Amino acid sequence: MQLKEGSHLNDRVVEGVGGKGVPMLALDEFIAATGLSPSFVKMDIEGAEFDALRGCPKLLAEGRPVLALEQAPDDMRCHELLLKAGYVAVDLSTYRRIRTSADFAAPTGVANVLFVPEEKAASSPYLDERQEMVTTIPSARFTRDEAGSANLSVGLTLPAGRYVVRADFSANGKDNEVFCGLDVDGVTVFRYHTFTAFMAECYRDWVIQLDRPAVLQPFLRFVKGSDPSLDWRGVEIIRLPAFDAHPGPVVF
């Protein structure tokens, strides 16, 4: 395999010549050599996920790990392979079950997908398809600056729980940089960093876990440049009740 320059902030793994050679080791070979068998596998290897999965049929059949893979709706090879191996899938941005490519939010170019063995699905809150609409915050409630940044002027108080914040916007700009994410009680808890066109295509759904009641403020802030094509329409807040009975993640 070869490493070649990618289109965003990363490189891509491709077959052929012309890039930089990268040595490979199949997961099944690694397990056989070390005796270590993972219970969770995260893959974000720039298009080589399918090849990696082809290198671990024994792990999938016997170890049955949970997997998180970066996937594109126009390439469902990993999905088809894992479904045949007895897995079910959910989009980790939207928490929607992925049965076909049509289940991805539109538009989207890439998504992180959780694959859970069928025998573990019934006990996983990630596979619970209940979603409760909390509210819609229209664009009029966001302040805008000269660059076009959008900040919720008065925060929304939410009870403890897990939520999807779904930003509704479109954009075509590529010659800019933006931060897009969530402030909780005045502190930025996470943010995406890229240009507006890629943000609108791939990163409009933001998941948050609140361990106590808190004030939520979504934002899109320009770091460099602007984008006249940005059409900011507001956000939806969706609650995921399946996580009420599960403790939140431990953060250090």
Side-chain angles (χ1 to χ4, degrees):
M1 303 296 287
Q2 304 285 328
L3 275 179
K4 298 194 73 173
E5 184 177 348
S7 59
H8 297 298
L9 301 175
N10 48 18
D11 297 326
R12 291 191 62 79
V13 180
V14 297
E15 294 186 21
V17 297
K20 180 179 180 180
V22 181
M24 300 290 177
L25 177 67
L27 271 173
D28 278 355
E29 295 175 354
F30 172 81
I31 293 167
T34 64
L36 302 173
S37 183
S39 59
F40 177 79
V41 176
K42 173 70 169 75
M43 292 185 188
D44 182 356
I45 45 179
E46 308 310 323
E49 290 84 359
F50 181 66
D51 295 303
L53 290 177
R54 289 196 299 174
C56 61
K58 186 175 181 180
L59 172 64
L60 297 178
E62 299 177 7
R64 308 295 285 162
V66 174
L67 302 101
L69 277 63
E70 186 178 73
Q71 296 287 269
D74 60 357
D75 183 359
M76 297 293 283
R77 293 176 299 163
C78 293
H79 186 272
E80 292 168 1
L81 185 154
L82 288 169
L83 259 62
K84 289 179 181 178
Y87 280 77
V88 292
V90 61
D91 186 329
L92 284 173
S93 293
T94 64
Y95 281 57
R96 294 171 179 164
R97 284 283 297 273
I98 302 299
R99 297 176 175 87
T100 72
S101 59
D103 294 321
F104 287 100
T108 187
V110 67
N112 287 295
V113 180
L114 184 73
F115 291 91
V116 179
E118 289 177 338
E119 64 273 17
K120 299 178 182 178
S123 61
S124 173
Y126 289 92
L127 277 301
D128 188 317
E129 298 188 75
R130 292 177 296 157
Q131 297 194 1
E132 300 175 354
M133 178 64 68
V134 176
T135 190
T136 298
I137 306 175
S139 60
R141 290 181 55 186
F142 288 80
T143 59
R144 307 293 297 274
D145 62 17
E146 291 183 0
S149 300
N151 295 275
L152 186 61
S153 54
V154 178
L156 176 69
T157 300
L158 293 174
R162 185 165 299 195
Y163 299 88
V164 177
V165 179
R166 183 158 295 148
D168 181 16
F169 68 97
S170 57
N172 300 318
K174 296 183 179 180
D175 187 21
N176 59 61
E177 291 182 48
V178 291
F179 288 146
C180 210
L182 298 167
D183 288 346
V184 174
D185 290 339
V187 176
T188 300
V189 294
F190 80 83
R191 68 188 184 195
Y192 292 114
H193 179 200
T194 183
F195 52 87
T196 47
F198 191 48
M199 189 79 71
E201 179 185 11
C202 297
Y203 297 112
R204 293 178 295 108
D205 293 274
W206 316 326
V207 178
I208 180 125
Q209 174 79 36
L210 300 178
D211 59 4
R212 65 185 187 280
V215 177
L216 186 72
Q217 290 179 282
F219 64 82
L220 184 152
R221 297 169 185 154
F222 281 92
V223 180
K224 175 184 176 183
S226 61
D227 182 2
S229 73
L230 173 65
D231 182 12
W232 180 265
R233 297 181 288 270
V235 301
E236 296 177 340
I237 310 292
I238 300 161
R239 180 173 167 268
L240 304 171
F243 289 86
D244 289 351
H246 294 263
V250 177
V251 180
F252 294 94

